[in-house]
Amino acid sequence: MRTRGLTRLVAAVLAAGAVLVGGVGCASGPPPPVGHVQQPLPEVTADPALVAMLPPELVGGTLRVAVPGVARPATGPEEELGSALAARLGLRALTDGVSATALPRALVGARHDVGILPVPVHVAPLGGSVLPWLAARTAIVTPVGNPDRVESTTLCGHRIGVVAGSAQHAAVVEENLHCADNRRPEIEIVPVGGAEDATRRLLADQLGAFVADAPAAGHAVVLGQGKLAVPSPPYGEGTAGMIVENRAVPAVRAALRSLIADGTYAAVLDRWWLGDLAIDGSALRS
């Protein structure tokens, strides 16, 4: 029988949802060239010493990973990192991509072993622990050249896409109140389903910008094939959390450190324009 999964994550994940406009974080990389093709990931093999750290009920089985997103199958840096963790532990990865609003519910009740979130998780949930995996930042995606001159301080009067139910959705709604208070044009807030939806709308000139967590922003830039970019450094603070069932924490922590050490982690981040937001292996000390 599998261990009892994470049972009370709703409050913990919702507590992570308030990432408002803040100080400038790490600098973004240059926009990809036209026709940009992601480099392939290195092959990840199982490490017997790490496999031995798994709880018996997981050995040789499936690592069930919940990630943000509505695409089927899920894709993006969270999905690729989850798959790499599973491979290093000799497991098959079963990745479930769900919407920002459904993610907390998806993590409740023994349906997943790991949840990889793009925002900080400030309270460890009952039955689980939180591991760091990425600097949590918000980024703005625009067409190359930023023709509408959209910045974090100039959202008023623009048509802004946000992932429905995300921390950035709440932040832009709050920013719109400041626009009204200062008698500036309102933000036209357009909820989108994810990076894929935002990319389509940006390329169709239906949005001035997409404001999202850094992984979703990087995903949109990749999908834009050289037509989209992050024109200014990501902003905010904190560290994105990976929620792991307690019995699997030692093995997952060791696997993540191993992926950092051998360069697989960096390769995943680089594929999605997140290299400047990497954490150091020292952050995973038990």
Side-chain angles (χ1 to χ4, degrees):
M1 181 178 294
R2 298 182 67 90
T3 60
R4 183 170 179 263
L6 308 180
T7 58
R8 292 185 182 177
L9 301 185
V10 174
V13 177
L14 292 182
V19 181
L20 302 181
V21 173
V24 171
C26 299
S28 62
V34 174
H36 165 71
V37 177
Q38 292 172 295
Q39 294 300 312
L41 286 172
E43 181 181 0
V44 180
T45 58
D47 183 329
L50 302 185
V51 174
M53 299 174 68
L54 285 168
E57 53 272 28
L58 273 180
V59 174
T62 298
L63 188 72
R64 302 165 302 173
V65 184
V67 301
V70 295
R72 299 292 189 275
T75 188
E78 296 97 340
E79 184 273 338
E80 289 188 354
L81 182 59
S83 295
L85 287 169
R88 183 53 43 91
L89 294 170
L91 302 172
R92 297 180 299 277
L94 178 61
T95 306
D96 188 12
V98 297
S99 69
T101 52
L103 183 60
R105 295 191 298 275
L107 290 170
V108 174
R111 290 195 293 274
H112 299 92
D113 305 298
V114 176
I116 304 178
L117 283 75
V119 295
V121 179
H122 300 293
V123 180
L126 182 66
S129 299
V130 180
L131 301 179
W133 76 276
L134 185 76
R137 300 291 184 267
T138 291
I140 296 175
V141 181
T142 71
V144 169
N146 194 6
D148 291 339
R149 298 294 182 262
V150 181
E151 304 289 346
S152 62
T153 56
T154 60
L155 299 183
C156 299
H158 293 292
R159 186 182 298 117
I160 302 298
V162 289
V163 176
S166 67
Q168 288 72 29
H169 190 172
V172 173
V173 168
E174 180 71 19
E175 182 65 20
N176 196 34
L177 297 178
H178 295 302
C179 296
D181 290 343
N182 290 286
R183 298 183 180 181
R184 300 183 66 187
E186 291 188 0
I187 302 170
E188 184 177 344
I189 301 172
V190 182
V192 300
E196 298 91 342
D197 188 13
T199 299
R200 287 192 294 269
R201 292 172 185 257
L202 281 166
L203 295 178
D205 199 27
Q206 297 173 355
L207 296 173
F210 174 42
V211 177
D213 59 72
H219 192 171
V221 170
V222 169
L223 291 173
Q225 289 291 301
K227 297 179 181 178
L228 302 179
V230 176
S232 57
Y235 55 90
E237 57 184 17
T239 304
M242 178 186 298
I243 301 172
V244 185
E245 189 192 25
N246 280 335
R247 292 192 183 186
V249 166
V252 172
R253 178 191 289 117
L256 183 52
R257 291 188 69 176
S258 173
L259 295 175
I260 291 173
D262 74 3
T264 301
Y265 167 79
V268 169
L269 298 193
D270 286 345
R271 281 169 51 84
W272 303 97
W273 299 89
L274 297 171
D276 290 338
L277 302 182
I279 64 166
D280 188 85
S282 63
L284 291 162
R285 291 172 182 162
S286 57

